[in-house]
Amino acid sequence: MKFKLNIDKDAEEITEATVNAKSDFTEELEYLVMKYNRTDSITGYTDNDVKKLKFYDIEYITVIDSKTYAFDKECNQYRLKQRLYETEVLLPKSFIRINKSTFANTIHIEKYTLAFSGGIDVVFKSGSKEYVSRRCFAQIKKEMKSK
């Protein structure tokens, strides 16, 4: 592995890494860069408090009754002020779309299972489940094969 750091006060700041394959190291590196840029979290609301939610701790973000919610690894639910499309641009690469209204954090995905109805569910490490649409699952499979 080679490491190169260029310091130029006049240049636009770009963080770029070229790797052979995605790994735990690349996930941690992305998290570190996002944290440095202060884009490693989003504000979540409950009935009683306001909390900074680190993207690393969020299992999935979904829409319920036209409101956007984030669920953390302890299955706590937080209301987000942003719409889903506004949240999407903030999300790190570890988040993938699993259906029309849900983004899942691949760091917390334990497995994919066949549902009783014949569909596919994603099971998170906390035990939570969300359905995966056929269209999104086809895209996920394509990305998994290319890695």
Side-chain angles (χ1 to χ4, degrees), residues 61-74:
I61 297 173
T62 191
V63 176
I64 303 170
D65 295 329
S66 301
K67 295 179 179 129
T68 309
Y69 292 93
F71 290 81
D72 67 8
K73 55 189 176 184
E74 283 89 35

Side-chain angles (χ1 to χ4, degrees), residues 1 24-25 28-29 36 46 77 86 115:
M1 177 187 288
D24 290 338
F25 171 72
E28 291 295 322
L29 182 61
Y36 173 76
T46 63
Q77 177 179 323
E86 294 170 326

Side-chain angles (χ1 to χ4, degrees), residues 120-132:
I120 304 287
D121 285 340
V122 62
V123 179
F124 295 98
K125 292 177 182 175
S126 70
S128 299
K129 286 184 181 181
E130 279 291 313
Y131 82 94
V132 180

Side-chain angles (χ1 to χ4, degrees), residues 11-147:
E12 178 185 0
E13 194 167 290
I14 299 172
T15 305
E16 184 178 303
T18 305
V19 295
N20 293 332
K22 195 169 185 171
S23 65
D24 290 338
F25 171 72
T26 60
E27 296 287 338
E28 291 295 322
L29 182 61
E30 179 182 18
Y31 176 72
L32 180 65
V33 170
M34 297 293 277
K35 184 176 179 181
Y36 173 76
N37 288 331
R38 306 278 190 258
T39 56
D40 69 328
S41 62
I42 194 166
T43 305
Y45 301 84
T46 63
D47 292 336
N48 302 327
D49 33 297
V50 178
K51 183 176 179 182
K52 279 283 197 196
L53 303 171
K54 297 204 177 292
F55 286 124
Y56 185 81
D57 295 330
I58 296 173
E59 280 193 338
Y60 62 98
I61 297 173
T62 191
V63 176
I64 303 170
D65 295 329
S66 301
K67 295 179 179 129
T68 309
Y69 292 93
F71 290 81
D72 67 8
K73 55 189 176 184
E74 283 89 35
C75 298
N76 296 319
Q77 177 179 323
Y78 299 92
R79 169 89 161 83
L80 304 179
K81 295 281 184 180
Q82 298 87 348
R83 308 278 297 181
L84 190 63
Y85 71 89
E86 294 170 326
T87 306
E88 180 180 7
V89 298
L90 303 173
L91 296 175
K93 299 277 189 240
S94 62
F95 280 82
I96 58 170
R97 184 178 289 272
I98 59 170
N99 61 52
K100 186 177 178 181
S101 60
T102 306
F103 284 93
N105 192 344
T106 57
I107 294 167
H108 297 290
I109 293 176
E110 185 167 313
K111 61 185 174 182
Y112 296 94
T113 61
L114 283 173
F116 183 70
S117 64
I120 304 287
D121 285 340
V122 62
V123 179
F124 295 98
K125 292 177 182 175
S126 70
S128 299
K129 286 184 181 181
E130 279 291 313
Y131 82 94
V132 180
S133 70
R134 288 179 290 167
R135 179 179 293 157
C136 290
F137 191 66
Q139 182 64 31
I140 292 167
K141 278 181 20 181
K142 192 183 294 184
E143 289 177 13
M144 289 173 120
K145 286 181 182 179
S146 68
K147 290 181 184 180

